[in-house]
Amino acid sequence: MPPLSDELRSRLPPIHAQEAEADPVVFARYSLAGTGLEWYVIEGEPDGDDFMFFGFVAGPDDFRYFRLSELETARSPLGQPVERDPAFIEGRLTDVVPAPDS
């Protein structure tokens, strides 16, 4: 599965579109094996030759911006790439992001 399919790209709301939402919709999840890092994509838009996402990053447990190019170049300690979860089902943030204690 490509990191950013045309289908996902066309469905993502632009950056700040869900800003007023207390419980925004999450459209995709990326993970890096062996690290505990997971990126939950809430919004995204083209940024020059790159693509900018906004979402929740589990690991540092923070909302932040991140680029497709960063996901494509990141590697685990064993050299594994970031992967998009093909089984992920979009839903509200509180429904799809595990609570910190779980």
Side-chain angles (χ1 to χ4, degrees), residues 19-68:
E19 191 170 63
E21 288 288 328
D23 197 13
V25 174
V26 177
F27 290 87
R29 176 177 55 212
Y30 294 89
S31 62
L32 186 56
T35 67
L37 288 170
E38 293 182 316
W39 295 263
Y40 292 87
V41 176
I42 295 171
E43 302 165 334
E45 62 189 36
D47 184 31
D49 291 337
D50 209 342
F51 197 86
M52 180 69 76
F53 295 108
F54 178 77
F56 184 78
V57 182
D61 291 342
D62 194 14
F63 288 93
R64 60 179 60 195
Y65 296 94
F66 50 95
R67 296 180 183 280
L68 178 61

Side-chain angles (χ1 to χ4, degrees), residues 68-79:
L68 178 61
S69 60
E70 294 172 51
L71 296 179
E72 291 175 327
T73 58
R75 295 291 181 264
S76 73
L78 298 176

Side-chain angles (χ1 to χ4, degrees), residues 3 7 12-13 16 23 35 43-44 47 63 65 79 82-83 99 101-102:
E7 186 271 335
L12 282 176
H16 304 295
D23 197 13
T35 67
E43 302 165 334
D47 184 31
F63 288 93
Y65 296 94
V82 170
E83 294 185 352
D101 298 321
S102 56

Side-chain angles (χ1 to χ4, degrees), residues 1-6 8-9 12 30 51 53 68 72 84:
M1 168 178 289
L4 181 60
S5 66
D6 289 339
L8 177 58
R9 182 185 294 257
L12 282 176
Y30 294 89
F51 197 86
F53 295 108
L68 178 61
E72 291 175 327
R84 182 172 155 208

